[in-house]
Amino acid sequence: MNSSEVRQAVTDYVKTNDLVSKMNRSIVVLDPVLCHMLSSKGAPPLTQLKWDELMKKFFEKMLPCHRVKIPGRGAHLRKGVVKHVVVSTAMRTGNKKVTLIQGLETFGVSPDEVAHDMQRKAAASTSVGDLPARKGQLPGKEVLIQGDAVRLVSSLLLDQYKIPAKYIDGLDQKVRSNKRS
């Protein structure tokens, strides 16, 4: 639900249950459900709030979530904000460059499938490794591609897998000039 839908649902609930004060139309008298929902632990229970305070408290209690629509598999509702796909390059021993891709699982894309596709497109060695689990996060996988393949990765993720560019970090790495000063 977006904010306007939440606002409309709260307004409908208040009007359906006749919770608007008779004396002052800008005040909502809280019923036990709203009182329990909006009261903080250790604080005295709320009995009435102005409309703007009611909406503010309601939005403060809500947790962020996102919905990912995966073609052929439907939509998944997940807690928290959308985790971006991260494309980066790194230097390995012997002045060798590698391209790393993390966070593909968020969009229902198999890292093994991306590694196989990149192996064919870039004619380079690829591997898939486990990322260490961080506190509060599920462990993920990382695709490693031999060489600087940011352009190929960007075309693959944008065109074939249809991941929106706003959810991919690191695509602008190739814009930098290769000239040495």
Side-chain angles (χ1 to χ4, degrees):
M1 293 176 88
N2 60 32
S3 60
S4 61
E5 292 171 334
V6 171
R7 201 175 288 276
Q8 186 61 45
V10 172
T11 303
D12 291 345
Y13 178 82
V14 168
K15 289 182 178 177
T16 302
N17 293 307
D18 197 31
L19 299 177
V20 179
S21 173
K22 306 285 188 239
M23 304 295 252
N24 186 351
R25 306 282 298 160
S26 67
I27 294 184
V28 176
V29 178
L30 303 180
D31 65 352
V33 173
L34 284 177
C35 183
H36 176 71
M37 219 162 91
L38 299 176
S39 294
S40 301
K41 289 181 182 175
L46 301 170
T47 56
Q48 61 184 21
L49 288 171
K50 290 186 175 184
W51 276 103
D52 57 338
E53 292 172 357
L54 173 71
M55 294 300 175
K56 181 180 175 192
K57 282 202 170 282
F58 203 85
F59 283 116
E60 285 173 356
K61 293 286 185 175
M62 294 180 69
L63 299 174
C65 66
H66 63 278
R67 180 177 309 197
V68 177
K69 293 181 183 177
I70 301 170
R73 288 190 264 165
H76 297 283
L77 188 63
R78 297 182 179 151
K79 292 193 282 186
V81 296
V82 178
K83 291 177 181 57
H84 291 213
V85 175
V86 178
V87 179
S88 61
T89 56
M91 296 298 285
R92 297 292 194 235
T93 55
N95 203 22
K96 304 282 185 192
K97 262 192 178 179
V98 293
T99 304
L100 304 168
I101 310 168
Q102 301 172 357
L104 294 167
E105 296 91 347
T106 302
F107 296 94
V109 177
S110 166
D112 294 317
E113 188 178 329
V114 170
H116 181 70
D117 290 344
M118 283 306 300
Q119 189 173 18
R120 286 184 299 154
K121 271 191 169 194
S125 175
T126 62
S127 67
V128 178
D130 292 329
L131 289 171
R134 293 190 180 111
K135 186 177 180 182
Q137 292 182 353
L138 295 173
K141 294 201 178 259
E142 175 181 60
V143 178
L144 182 139
I145 305 157
Q146 183 182 18
D148 188 355
V150 175
R151 284 187 181 161
L152 288 172
V153 169
S154 69
S155 69
L156 182 77
L157 295 178
L158 295 171
D159 300 335
Q160 185 174 336
Y161 292 107
K162 307 289 187 217
I163 298 174
K166 67 181 180 179
Y167 297 120
I168 304 174
D169 295 338
L171 292 184
D172 56 350
Q173 291 181 25
K174 262 327 232 195
V175 176
R176 289 187 223 129
S177 175
N178 288 336
K179 294 181 185 174
R180 296 183 188 219
S181 318

